[in-house]
Amino acid sequence: LEIGHPEELLGGVLCVAAALTAGRGRPVIAGVLLGLAMANKPWAVLAVVPLLAILETGRVKLLATAAATTTIVMLPLVLAGGAVQEAAAVARTTSGIFQPWQVWWFLGEHGQVVVGNFGEKPDFRVGRGWLTGMAHQIVVLVPLALSLAFLPCLRSRPWHDGLLLLAFALLLRCLLDPWNVSYYSLPFLLALVAWEIHAERRPPILSLGATLLCWVTLVSLPSIAHPDIQAAGYLGWSVPLAAFMGVRLLGLRLRSAEPSAAHAPAI
Protein backbone atom coordinates (compact mmCIF):
# COMPACT_ATOMS: atom_id res chain seq x y z
CA LEU A 1 0.00 0.00 0.00
CA GLU A 2 2.87 2.40 0.76
CA ILE A 3 4.46 1.70 -2.63
CA GLY A 4 1.14 2.38 -4.33
CA HIS A 5 0.04 -1.04 -5.57
CA PRO A 6 -3.15 -2.04 -3.74
CA GLU A 7 -4.19 -4.09 -6.78
CA GLU A 8 -1.64 -6.76 -5.85
CA LEU A 9 -3.21 -7.24 -2.44
CA LEU A 10 -6.70 -7.18 -3.97
CA GLY A 11 -5.70 -9.80 -6.54
CA GLY A 12 -4.27 -12.11 -3.91
CA VAL A 13 -7.38 -11.81 -1.73
CA LEU A 14 -9.69 -12.49 -4.69
CA CYS A 15 -7.73 -15.59 -5.76
CA VAL A 16 -7.67 -17.08 -2.26
CA ALA A 17 -11.34 -16.20 -1.74
CA ALA A 18 -12.17 -17.94 -5.02
CA ALA A 19 -10.27 -21.03 -3.87
CA LEU A 20 -12.03 -21.12 -0.49
CA THR A 21 -15.39 -20.66 -2.19
CA ALA A 22 -14.60 -23.47 -4.63
CA GLY A 23 -13.76 -25.62 -1.62
CA ARG A 24 -17.33 -25.11 -0.42
CA GLY A 25 -18.65 -26.35 -3.75
CA ARG A 26 -19.83 -22.99 -5.11
CA PRO A 27 -18.40 -22.76 -8.65
CA VAL A 28 -20.43 -19.76 -9.78
CA ILE A 29 -19.36 -17.50 -6.91
CA ALA A 30 -15.79 -18.80 -7.25
CA GLY A 31 -15.95 -17.97 -10.97
CA VAL A 32 -17.07 -14.40 -10.27
CA LEU A 33 -14.21 -13.92 -7.82
CA LEU A 34 -11.70 -15.45 -10.26
CA GLY A 35 -13.00 -13.28 -13.09
CA LEU A 36 -12.61 -10.15 -10.98
CA ALA A 37 -9.09 -11.25 -10.05
CA MET A 38 -8.09 -11.72 -13.71
CA ALA A 39 -9.61 -8.36 -14.66
CA ASN A 40 -7.66 -6.81 -11.79
CA LYS A 41 -4.26 -8.38 -12.65
CA PRO A 42 -3.52 -10.80 -15.52
CA TRP A 43 -1.29 -13.02 -13.36
CA ALA A 44 -4.48 -14.27 -11.67
CA VAL A 45 -4.86 -16.71 -14.58
CA LEU A 46 -2.43 -18.84 -12.54
CA ALA A 47 -5.34 -19.57 -10.17
CA VAL A 48 -7.41 -21.33 -12.85
CA VAL A 49 -5.82 -24.79 -12.60
CA PRO A 50 -5.74 -24.82 -8.75
CA LEU A 51 -9.46 -23.97 -8.69
CA LEU A 52 -10.17 -26.77 -11.15
CA ALA A 53 -8.25 -29.09 -8.82
CA ILE A 54 -10.36 -28.01 -5.84
CA LEU A 55 -13.74 -28.45 -7.52
CA GLU A 56 -15.23 -31.92 -7.86
CA THR A 57 -18.11 -30.70 -10.04
CA GLY A 58 -19.05 -27.45 -11.73
CA ARG A 59 -15.74 -26.82 -13.51
CA VAL A 60 -17.48 -25.64 -16.68
CA LYS A 61 -19.61 -23.25 -14.62
CA LEU A 62 -16.46 -21.88 -13.00
CA LEU A 63 -14.69 -21.24 -16.31
CA ALA A 64 -17.77 -19.76 -18.01
CA THR A 65 -18.55 -17.46 -15.09
CA ALA A 66 -14.93 -16.33 -14.80
CA ALA A 67 -14.73 -15.58 -18.53
CA ALA A 68 -18.02 -13.67 -18.46
CA THR A 69 -17.02 -11.64 -15.40
CA THR A 70 -13.64 -10.70 -16.87
CA THR A 71 -15.29 -9.70 -20.15
CA ILE A 72 -17.88 -7.51 -18.44
CA VAL A 73 -15.21 -5.69 -16.44
CA MET A 74 -12.75 -5.31 -19.30
CA LEU A 75 -15.19 -4.49 -22.11
CA PRO A 76 -15.32 -0.72 -21.41
CA LEU A 77 -11.50 -0.62 -21.42
CA VAL A 78 -11.35 -2.58 -24.68
CA LEU A 79 -13.80 -0.14 -26.26
CA ALA A 80 -11.73 2.77 -24.96
CA GLY A 81 -8.63 1.20 -26.44
CA GLY A 82 -5.81 3.13 -24.81
CA ALA A 83 -5.66 1.39 -21.43
CA VAL A 84 -5.57 -2.08 -22.96
CA GLN A 85 -2.88 -1.14 -25.47
CA GLU A 86 -0.73 0.29 -22.69
CA ALA A 87 -1.17 -2.87 -20.58
CA ALA A 88 -0.30 -5.06 -23.57
CA ALA A 89 2.86 -3.05 -24.22
CA VAL A 90 3.96 -3.53 -20.60
CA ALA A 91 3.30 -7.29 -20.85
CA ARG A 92 5.50 -7.61 -23.95
CA THR A 93 8.66 -6.03 -22.56
CA THR A 94 10.77 -6.07 -19.43
CA SER A 95 11.80 -2.42 -20.05
CA GLY A 96 15.25 -3.05 -18.60
CA ILE A 97 13.93 -3.98 -15.16
CA PHE A 98 16.10 -6.73 -13.71
CA GLN A 99 15.85 -7.33 -9.96
CA PRO A 100 18.12 -9.55 -7.82
CA TRP A 101 15.25 -11.68 -6.48
CA GLN A 102 14.69 -14.12 -9.34
CA VAL A 103 16.26 -17.22 -10.91
CA TRP A 104 17.73 -15.34 -13.88
CA TRP A 105 19.86 -12.95 -11.82
CA PHE A 106 23.22 -14.73 -12.06
CA LEU A 107 22.77 -15.08 -15.82
CA GLY A 108 22.71 -11.28 -16.08
CA GLU A 109 25.62 -9.18 -17.28
CA HIS A 110 27.73 -6.52 -15.57
CA GLY A 111 29.26 -3.49 -17.22
CA GLN A 112 26.24 -1.25 -17.81
CA VAL A 113 24.97 1.64 -15.72
CA VAL A 114 21.61 0.73 -14.17
CA VAL A 115 19.38 3.59 -13.03
CA GLY A 116 16.28 3.12 -10.88
CA ASN A 117 13.61 5.45 -9.56
CA PHE A 118 15.98 6.86 -6.95
CA GLY A 119 19.20 7.08 -8.93
CA GLU A 120 22.00 4.77 -10.04
CA LYS A 121 22.09 1.16 -8.79
CA PRO A 122 25.71 0.13 -8.24
CA ASP A 123 26.73 -3.47 -9.04
CA PHE A 124 23.38 -4.28 -10.64
CA ARG A 125 23.26 -6.70 -13.55
CA VAL A 126 21.19 -6.38 -16.72
CA GLY A 127 19.18 -9.15 -18.29
CA ARG A 128 20.31 -11.11 -21.32
CA GLY A 129 18.86 -10.14 -24.67
CA TRP A 130 17.08 -13.46 -25.13
CA LEU A 131 15.13 -12.85 -21.93
CA THR A 132 13.86 -9.43 -22.97
CA GLY A 133 10.38 -9.60 -24.39
CA MET A 134 9.63 -13.17 -23.33
CA ALA A 135 10.08 -13.13 -19.55
CA HIS A 136 6.44 -12.31 -18.81
CA GLN A 137 5.29 -15.12 -21.07
CA ILE A 138 7.55 -17.51 -19.15
CA VAL A 139 6.07 -16.24 -15.88
CA VAL A 140 2.65 -17.45 -17.00
CA LEU A 141 3.40 -20.51 -19.13
CA VAL A 142 5.80 -22.35 -16.81
CA PRO A 143 3.57 -22.21 -13.67
CA LEU A 144 0.54 -23.14 -15.79
CA ALA A 145 2.34 -26.11 -17.33
CA LEU A 146 3.58 -27.36 -13.95
CA SER A 147 0.14 -26.87 -12.40
CA LEU A 148 -1.39 -28.99 -15.16
CA ALA A 149 1.31 -31.62 -14.58
CA PHE A 150 0.40 -31.78 -10.88
CA LEU A 151 -3.34 -31.93 -11.58
CA PRO A 152 -3.55 -35.76 -11.85
CA CYS A 153 -1.73 -36.06 -8.50
CA LEU A 154 -4.51 -34.12 -6.77
CA ARG A 155 -7.36 -36.47 -7.67
CA SER A 156 -9.08 -37.87 -4.56
CA ARG A 157 -6.96 -35.59 -2.40
CA PRO A 158 -8.24 -33.12 0.24
CA TRP A 159 -9.63 -29.94 -1.29
CA HIS A 160 -7.06 -27.76 0.44
CA ASP A 161 -4.22 -29.22 -1.64
CA GLY A 162 -5.56 -26.93 -4.37
CA LEU A 163 -4.55 -24.03 -2.14
CA LEU A 164 -1.04 -25.48 -1.99
CA LEU A 165 -0.99 -25.67 -5.78
CA LEU A 166 -2.10 -22.02 -5.91
CA ALA A 167 0.68 -20.98 -3.53
CA PHE A 168 3.19 -23.00 -5.57
CA ALA A 169 2.16 -21.33 -8.84
CA LEU A 170 2.30 -17.85 -7.31
CA LEU A 171 5.75 -18.51 -5.82
CA LEU A 172 6.99 -19.64 -9.24
CA ARG A 173 5.64 -16.39 -10.64
CA CYS A 174 7.95 -14.52 -8.25
CA LEU A 175 10.97 -16.71 -8.96
CA LEU A 176 10.63 -16.44 -12.74
CA ASP A 177 9.82 -12.73 -13.05
CA PRO A 178 12.78 -10.35 -13.63
CA TRP A 179 10.53 -7.57 -12.31
CA ASN A 180 10.00 -9.33 -8.96
CA VAL A 181 9.59 -6.80 -6.15
CA SER A 182 8.53 -7.16 -2.54
CA TYR A 183 4.78 -6.86 -3.03
CA TYR A 184 4.73 -9.66 -5.63
CA SER A 185 5.01 -12.09 -2.70
CA LEU A 186 1.70 -11.04 -1.12
CA PRO A 187 -0.57 -13.36 -3.17
CA PHE A 188 1.79 -16.30 -2.61
CA LEU A 189 1.88 -15.71 1.15
CA LEU A 190 -1.91 -15.37 1.38
CA ALA A 191 -2.38 -18.67 -0.45
CA LEU A 192 0.28 -20.37 1.66
CA VAL A 193 -1.24 -19.36 4.99
CA ALA A 194 -4.71 -20.34 3.76
CA TRP A 195 -3.39 -23.80 2.88
CA GLU A 196 -1.47 -24.22 6.11
CA ILE A 197 -4.34 -23.36 8.44
CA HIS A 198 -6.56 -25.88 6.65
CA ALA A 199 -4.00 -28.64 6.11
CA GLU A 200 -2.02 -28.66 9.35
CA ARG A 201 -3.14 -29.03 12.96
CA ARG A 202 -0.74 -26.42 14.25
CA PRO A 203 -0.11 -22.70 13.92
CA PRO A 204 1.00 -21.61 10.41
CA ILE A 205 4.70 -21.57 11.22
CA LEU A 206 5.76 -22.19 7.61
CA SER A 207 3.83 -19.13 6.44
CA LEU A 208 5.25 -17.06 9.29
CA GLY A 209 8.78 -18.13 8.39
CA ALA A 210 8.22 -17.35 4.70
CA THR A 211 6.83 -13.92 5.60
CA LEU A 212 9.86 -13.08 7.73
CA LEU A 213 12.24 -14.31 5.03
CA CYS A 214 10.44 -12.19 2.44
CA TRP A 215 10.82 -9.17 4.68
CA VAL A 216 14.52 -9.79 5.32
CA THR A 217 15.54 -10.56 1.74
CA LEU A 218 13.23 -8.20 -0.15
CA VAL A 219 13.00 -5.22 2.20
CA SER A 220 15.82 -5.17 4.76
CA LEU A 221 18.76 -6.73 2.91
CA PRO A 222 18.70 -4.41 -0.16
CA SER A 223 19.77 -1.44 1.97
CA ILE A 224 22.94 -3.11 3.26
CA ALA A 225 24.00 -5.92 0.92
CA HIS A 226 25.51 -6.36 -2.55
CA PRO A 227 22.88 -7.34 -5.15
CA ASP A 228 24.50 -10.76 -5.61
CA ILE A 229 24.13 -11.41 -1.87
CA GLN A 230 20.49 -10.31 -2.08
CA ALA A 231 19.91 -12.78 -4.92
CA ALA A 232 21.67 -15.62 -3.11
CA GLY A 233 19.73 -14.93 0.08
CA TYR A 234 16.39 -14.92 -1.72
CA LEU A 235 17.07 -18.03 -3.79
CA GLY A 236 18.51 -19.77 -0.71
CA TRP A 237 15.06 -20.09 0.87
CA SER A 238 12.56 -19.64 -1.99
CA VAL A 239 13.89 -22.45 -4.20
CA PRO A 240 13.92 -25.04 -1.36
CA LEU A 241 10.42 -23.90 -0.37
CA ALA A 242 9.19 -24.37 -3.93
CA ALA A 243 10.79 -27.82 -3.98
CA PHE A 244 9.11 -28.72 -0.68
CA MET A 245 5.75 -27.62 -2.03
CA GLY A 246 6.31 -29.68 -5.17
CA VAL A 247 7.08 -32.77 -3.09
CA ARG A 248 3.89 -32.27 -1.09
CA LEU A 249 1.90 -31.86 -4.28
CA LEU A 250 3.27 -35.17 -5.53
CA GLY A 251 1.73 -36.75 -2.45
CA LEU A 252 4.90 -37.59 -0.57
CA ARG A 253 4.59 -37.35 3.21
CA LEU A 254 0.93 -36.50 2.73
CA ARG A 255 -1.06 -36.72 5.93
CA SER A 256 -4.34 -38.56 5.82
CA ALA A 257 -7.50 -36.48 5.91
CA GLU A 258 -10.92 -37.37 7.22
CA PRO A 259 -13.30 -38.01 4.29
CA SER A 260 -15.94 -35.79 5.84
CA ALA A 261 -13.51 -32.85 5.83
CA ALA A 262 -12.35 -33.22 2.25
CA HIS A 263 -14.69 -30.55 0.93
CA ALA A 264 -15.65 -28.56 4.00
CA PRO A 265 -13.19 -25.68 4.56
CA ALA A 266 -13.25 -24.11 7.99
CA ILE A 267 -14.75 -20.68 8.36
Side-chain angles (χ1 to χ4, degrees):
L1 293 174
E2 291 177 352
I3 297 173
H5 289 276
E7 76 284 352
E8 200 77 13
L9 179 58
L10 175 61
V13 170
L14 287 171
C15 286
V16 174
L20 295 173
T21 305
R24 294 189 64 85
R26 298 178 179 176
V28 174
I29 298 176
V32 170
L33 293 169
L34 176 61
L36 291 173
M38 291 191 295
N40 174 69
K41 294 289 283 189
W43 57 254
V45 71
L46 299 180
V48 171
V49 178
L51 263 64
L52 294 178
I54 291 172
L55 283 171
E56 286 188 339
T57 60
R59 295 185 177 96
V60 174
K61 288 182 180 179
L62 169 77
L63 295 175
T65 306
T69 303
T70 302
T71 300
I72 291 171
V73 174
M74 295 301 295
L75 186 59
L77 298 178
V78 173
L79 295 176
V84 172
Q85 292 174 8
E86 181 180 353
V90 170
R92 286 194 299 265
T93 177
T94 59
S95 302
I97 299 176
F98 198 69
Q99 303 280 21
W101 317 291
Q102 34 99 7
V103 296
W104 315 110
W105 175 256
F106 290 104
L107 299 178
E109 300 174 319
H110 285 299
Q112 298 187 36
V113 176
V114 178
V115 179
N117 292 333
F118 304 102
E120 186 175 332
K121 294 184 173 183
D123 301 315
F124 260 60
R125 301 171 185 256
V126 294
R128 299 276 181 172
W130 60 265
L131 186 61
T132 302
M134 62 179 291
H136 286 184
Q137 288 80 0
I138 294 174
V139 167
V140 173
L141 294 178
V142 172
L144 277 178
L146 289 176
S147 295
L148 287 170
F150 280 121
L151 197 55
C153 301
L154 299 182
R155 292 174 182 170
S156 302
R157 294 264 292 272
W159 75 273
H160 50 64
D161 283 348
L163 281 168
L164 180 60
L165 182 60
L166 176 61
F168 176 75
L170 294 176
L171 176 57
L172 286 183
R173 174 232 176 179
C174 297
L175 282 167
L176 294 170
D177 197 339
W179 286 28
N180 188 26
V181 292
S182 58
Y183 60 83
Y184 280 23
S185 296
L186 279 171
F188 144 68
L189 291 171
L190 290 172
L192 183 65
V193 73
W195 167 75
E196 195 171 8
I197 63 176
H198 286 91
E200 306 291 348
R201 296 182 178 179
R202 55 167 172 74
I205 55 176
L206 180 64
S207 302
L208 176 60
T211 302
L212 292 174
L213 288 168
C214 282
W215 177 262
V216 170
T217 54
L218 295 170
V219 180
S220 298
L221 202 58
S223 63
I224 59 174
H226 189 280
D228 287 357
I229 296 177
Q230 298 175 43
Y234 179 75
L235 295 176
W237 68 264
S238 57
V239 172
L241 178 58
F244 164 78
M245 295 164 73
V247 168
R248 288 294 298 263
L249 288 168
L250 287 173
L252 304 179
R253 296 176 55 199
L254 182 67
R255 294 184 181 181
S256 60
E258 294 294 334
S260 59
H263 284 272
I267 299 299

